[in-house]
Structures are given as structure tokens and as C-alpha cells.
Amino acid sequence: VALTSQDNLTWTGSYSVAAGLDGPASIAVWGKDLPGKSGSGTASFTVDSVAPSNTSLASATHPENTPTSRSAAVFSWTPSSDPGTGLAGYSYALNHTAGYALDTATDTAAVSLSTALPDGTWWLHLRAVDNAGNGSGTAGYKFIVDVTSPVYAAYFSRNPANAGPLSVTLDAGEVLTGAPAVTVKQLGGATVPMTMTSSNNISWTVTYAVAAG
């Protein structure tokens, strides 16, 4: 290994650790001082090029890829193992990105995570990291927080409306599980239930026959 120094006291060099030759490794050094006396020394280090085992994610509060009306989320994962230098912990990130490259910084040593999140489509990304800085494959878990109730906006094809067909559109602002319950009542008339239809479960339409008088 070639060494360099700026003061002939402290010397530095770079060695490329070869994968597959894991286990104890040693360094041997020798040299001479200014009067010509020889000296030598040794040091040791451990090589670990094998990543820890992969882990899998689960949640008791937020089923994967399913809207849930609660902000407090709890996640857990299967413990990882590392036969080399041992497990340092786990790196994780919570964001809105499906494909996310996690670093190998250790964020937690636990096998669970509790957090509160606002509405949105979320991803939890997690990977195990060993003491040598090797990272496992990244596990991803998609979940949806939807605490806010839908707010409807109504639109009419004619307003004021005369007698005849009137197109009514309701915008829910989010995907509904089914058609909203809608009734129409004219002054002095009966309450008329309406059956709305939608192509995307967000914008709903129906035609109401406006009664004269």
C-alpha cells in the first residue's frame, strides 16, 4: 500500500477491501527513522461485505394500500440478522415517494414505529444496516391516511331553473365508497330521493325533473 505524508510523522494510504474475503484482516508496517533504525508494527480490522437479511413491514392500524380514517399509525417489522459484524439498526423514511433510495444511516434499533400523520398517500421505507455499513434490501409499505370528511360542492345546469330537466353535479373532492345520498325538495313539494352515478366516484351526476308551480 502506497503511503503519503506531509510531515513524515503521520502517513496515510488507501486499500480497496475485496468482497468475499470476510473475517479478520491485518496490517503490517515497517520503516526506518532518520538515524536509520528499523521499526515495525501490526494492526487488525474486520472485513464484513455481506448485507444483513431483508425485513418485511406490517401495520396493525393501517392496512397496506387501503384508506384509513385515523392519523395515529403503528408499524412493525421482522427483525433482521447479520452473521458478520452484527446489526447496527434500521434506516427508514416516511414520505410520498414510491421509489426511494434509503441511505445507511441508523435511525432506530427498535422493530416498531409509532407516528401521527396528516391526510395523504404515504410510503414507509425501511432497510437493515450492519455495523460495517452494509444495507439490506429496502422494504416499502404504502398506506393512506384520510381523516378529513368529504366536502361536497353542488353545481346546476341552470340556476334559476324553470320547469323541466335539471342536471345536478356533486363534487366530493375525494373518492367515495359509493353514491352519496341525495334528496331534492321544492317549496311545498315532497322530498324526492335521487340516485347519482359517477365514472370516477368523485364527481357525481343526476337529472332532476323540476316541477312547475
Side-chain angles (χ1 to χ4, degrees):
V1 177
L3 300 176
T4 59
S5 176
Q6 294 184 356
D7 57 7
N8 281 14
L9 294 174
T10 301
W11 297 78
T12 59
S14 179
Y15 170 73
S16 181
V17 176
L21 302 177
D22 289 14
S26 61
I27 298 173
V29 60
W30 60 90
K32 292 183 179 182
D33 63 11
L34 293 179
K37 300 189 298 294
S38 297
S40 62
T42 59
S44 62
F45 62 98
T46 300
V47 175
D48 177 8
S49 61
V50 178
S53 63
N54 292 338
T55 185
S56 59
L57 286 160
S59 175
T61 59
H62 289 67
E64 191 168 15
N65 202 27
T66 303
T68 305
S69 59
R70 58 190 303 176
S71 61
V74 178
F75 303 94
S76 61
W77 49 89
T78 55
S80 175
S81 60
D82 185 82
T85 53
L87 193 69
Y90 302 89
S91 174
Y92 73 87
L94 277 165
N95 54 39
H96 305 287
T97 305
Y100 184 76
L102 274 177
D103 57 25
T104 53
T106 301
D107 298 310
T108 182
V111 291
S112 64
L113 173 68
S114 298
T115 185
L117 297 166
D119 285 10
T121 299
W122 293 88
W123 283 84
L124 172 61
H125 311 273
L126 179 91
R127 73 188 307 192
V129 181
D130 66 18
N131 287 303
N134 299 304
S136 71
T138 299
Y141 191 91
K142 179 184 178 182
F143 61 101
I144 302 167
V145 177
D146 185 3
V147 177
T148 305
S149 298
V151 178
Y152 300 100
Y155 305 94
F156 308 96
S157 58
R158 293 176 288 114
N159 189 14
N162 55 10
L166 175 69
S167 178
V168 180
T169 300
L170 288 180
D171 188 350
E174 61 178 294
V175 176
L176 302 182
T177 58
V182 176
T183 60
V184 177
K185 179 179 174 60
Q186 290 184 231
L187 181 64
T191 299
V192 180
M194 307 300 295
T195 301
M196 307 204 79
T197 60
S198 175
S199 61
N200 58 10
N201 281 19
I202 300 175
S203 181
W204 299 81
T205 59
V206 71
T207 299
Y208 169 70
V210 178

